[in-house]
Amino acid sequence: MRDETRFVDRLHRDLRDVRWPEPAEIRARARRRSRRTVLTAAVAVLAVMSGSAYAVAGRPVSPPPPAAATLVSPVHAASAEIPQEALLAPWDVPLKTGVQLGETGVVEPVRVDPVLESCGRERGVPSDPATSRYSRSQTLLRAPVDPTARQPVLTQDVYRVDPGQGRLVFGLVGLLLNACAEWQHAGSAFVDGRTVPTVQTHRWETPASGFAGDESVMLRHVSLAPGSAGGGKVVAATPAVEVTMVVRVGDLVTVVATGPGAVADTADGVRPGRGLSHTELEALGRTAAHRMCAAANPGC
């Protein structure tokens, strides 16, 4: 009995010295572990296969159909995780892709365009993003001969939000566009062995809206070549035009963003046949809405 008492006392002393991580730290570790799992799976797939591959953290390549007892009814769709089938498939995209990476999340902020949001913060736009209950994301990569040179064709995030929050997402996008039609961002660049201050002009416009789902908008982001703050001398190449589509179906909101060189549009014209046109992007937005129909609440 005396030995047991000493053991209990020692256990209490040891537990007092244990540092328990904060909840935020636990969530951060979990997110890092999820990303490591995704990347490890992708490397393994690339090592044994050529052509298209599919890697999603914690998910089999071809999920078996659920048993009848575990089917999710439409009544409970609002509280359900987002299935992979609610995202675009590689064959939905007119450009050739080779690898599909993805992960899931909970209580994630709905992000549309980080640069646009930075402009909004500088200009005092209230820009607290809506928070999703569940999210699922993916990145479709190009398939060149050299696997180390793979670039994203597009990224996609699908968020399940509370009722009313989806419309707030579009309201915030409207506020940001009104405040940031043009924005000059002060930064820096490394030129001739030294760091020089730079100024870069960003512009946003909406080539199309209302083309898919319950609500939709297309954002065209043009970044001009950065120039030195003193004389305006160009110090880097002109970045590619980026297009972001935001589409809502019921309580699901998806954000689809193109990768470098994925659109035919450029700052000074159009490159025919070298990327997605605005017409093809609108069609892709409608496909994204169609894929969300079955998982949305209410559905289509």
Side-chain angles (χ1 to χ4, degrees):
M1 183 67 180
R2 187 178 306 164
D3 292 339
E4 293 177 358
T5 301
R6 284 198 299 268
F7 173 78
V8 172
D9 291 338
R10 180 179 177 184
L11 181 61
H12 280 294
R13 288 195 303 271
D14 291 342
L15 287 174
R16 283 196 299 269
D17 295 333
V18 173
R19 175 189 172 275
W20 300 102
E22 297 294 328
E25 183 179 346
I26 295 174
R27 288 193 295 270
R29 290 179 181 178
R31 295 285 288 175
R32 288 194 295 270
R33 186 177 299 112
S34 175
R35 292 189 180 95
R36 285 197 300 270
T37 302
V38 171
L39 293 176
T40 301
V43 171
V45 169
L46 289 174
V48 299
M49 296 182 66
S50 60
S52 297
Y54 169 65
V56 176
R59 300 285 181 178
V61 173
S62 300
T70 61
L71 288 175
V72 179
S73 68
V75 176
H76 298 95
S79 61
E81 292 187 17
I82 300 168
Q84 177 65 33
E85 293 74 19
L87 276 69
L88 290 167
W91 50 86
D92 293 329
V93 184
L95 300 179
K96 184 179 180 180
T97 62
V99 176
Q100 181 181 15
L101 306 177
E103 67 177 313
T104 60
V106 293
V107 197
E108 297 287 343
V110 179
R111 295 295 185 190
V112 175
D113 183 332
V115 181
L116 181 60
E117 292 167 2
S118 295
C119 172
R121 285 192 294 270
E122 182 179 290
R123 297 189 172 176
V125 178
S127 57
D128 289 336
T131 300
S132 63
R133 291 197 298 278
Y134 294 99
S135 66
R136 184 180 284 273
S137 63
Q138 69 171 349
T139 300
L140 298 180
L141 303 180
R142 292 185 184 275
V145 176
D146 181 5
T148 63
R150 293 175 187 261
Q151 290 183 329
V153 173
L154 63 80
T155 61
Q156 181 186 17
D157 300 294
V158 178
Y159 304 94
R160 190 181 297 281
V161 297
D162 289 324
Q165 289 293 306
R167 293 184 178 181
L168 291 179
V169 171
F170 286 84
L172 176 57
V173 168
L175 291 175
L176 291 171
L177 289 172
N178 288 335
C180 298
E182 183 168 311
W183 179 48
Q184 289 189 330
H185 174 61
S188 62
F190 196 68
V191 181
D192 297 330
R194 61 191 182 92
T195 301
V196 298
T198 62
V199 176
Q200 185 174 21
T201 300
H202 297 269
R203 295 170 182 160
W204 287 271
E205 61 181 9
T206 56
S209 62
F211 54 88
D214 296 323
E215 291 181 280
S216 57
V217 64
M218 181 186 297
L219 309 180
R220 178 178 182 263
H221 175 204
V222 175
S223 304
L224 301 185
S228 60
K233 179 182 177 181
V234 174
V235 297
T238 302
V241 171
E242 298 173 338
V243 172
T244 300
M245 294 184 293
V246 188
V247 180
R248 180 180 70 85
V249 176
D251 63 343
L252 294 182
V253 175
T254 186
V255 178
V256 181
T258 60
V263 295
D265 198 359
T266 65
D268 55 1
V270 176
R271 302 172 302 176
R274 295 187 59 186
L276 299 172
S277 67
H278 284 183
T279 300
E280 289 174 319
L281 287 167
E282 289 184 32
L284 190 61
R286 289 189 287 272
T287 301
H290 177 73
R291 286 197 169 274
M292 291 190 293
C293 280
N297 184 34
C300 301

